[in-house]
Amino acid sequence: MTEAGMQRMASRVFAALLADDDASMTSAELALALQISPAAVSGAVNYLTQVSMVGREREPGSRRDRYRLHNEIWYTTFASRDQVLTRWERTLREGARTLGEHTPAGARIAETAAFFEFLQSELEGLMARWNDHRKTLDLPAADGYAGP
């Protein structure tokens, strides 16, 4: 994950949650499992919540937070990118108009905006195809262990 651009500590925390049977751990559990400081856990969790890969929930009857992977993590992560792509596309189109779409810089920015528009339209179709494909798979439930 770090090679794909994710922060090192966020990658480690994400991997720990992904490998946990219920995909949920407290800050103390993460710190112990990864042998890192609570501050490192906090920074990693803040990043992961900002990019919608991890949710924070309060333990019943406690003041401690649990950090949990969202159900269908990859679908949720890529679906949230749709909002980011829309924002980038709008900003880029505005930048191209400001610079002049027929200038070299404006044309480059307009092409980048067109790329994001294309990517967004393809992502919508891809997500729909994934939902259809997922229904054909014999996958165990992610929210509980269905052992042998």
Side-chain angles (χ1 to χ4, degrees), residues 22-51:
D22 70 352
S24 168
M25 299 173 90
T26 65
S27 180
E29 290 167 341
L30 284 164
L32 182 64
L34 299 173
Q35 297 182 355
I36 58 176
S37 72
V41 171
S42 178
V45 166
N46 284 338
Y47 170 79
L48 291 168
T49 55
Q50 285 175 353
V51 296

Side-chain angles (χ1 to χ4, degrees), residues 107-125:
R108 190 170 41 253
I109 291 174
E111 181 181 348
T112 303
F115 172 77
F116 282 116
E117 180 181 27
F118 173 79
L119 189 61
Q120 187 173 11
S121 68
E122 290 297 308
L123 187 58
E124 290 170 11

Side-chain angles (χ1 to χ4, degrees), residues 130-139:
W130 165 249
N131 277 331
D132 292 343
H133 178 69
R134 189 173 189 276
K135 292 173 189 170
T136 68
L137 301 175
D138 186 24
L139 296 173

Side-chain angles (χ1 to χ4, degrees), residues 140-141 144-148:
Y145 177 68

Side-chain angles (χ1 to χ4, degrees), residues 47-101:
Y47 170 79
L48 291 168
T49 55
Q50 285 175 353
V51 296
S52 302
M53 294 180 80
V54 170
R56 186 181 314 231
E57 56 190 41
R58 186 69 59 165
E59 278 190 338
S62 172
R63 294 188 326 177
R64 293 192 321 184
D65 287 329
R66 290 195 76 73
Y67 303 106
R68 177 177 303 280
L69 293 182
H70 296 295
N71 289 335
E72 299 180 5
I73 182 65
W74 298 114
Y75 182 90
T76 303
T77 299
F78 280 92
S80 70
R81 294 296 178 256
D82 186 48
Q83 298 166 2
V84 173
L85 292 174
T86 299
R87 242 187 331 245
W88 285 358
E89 181 192 340
R90 270 192 232 128
T91 301
L92 288 162
R93 291 212 184 277
E94 199 174 295
R97 280 192 298 276
T98 300
L99 293 171
E101 293 179 8

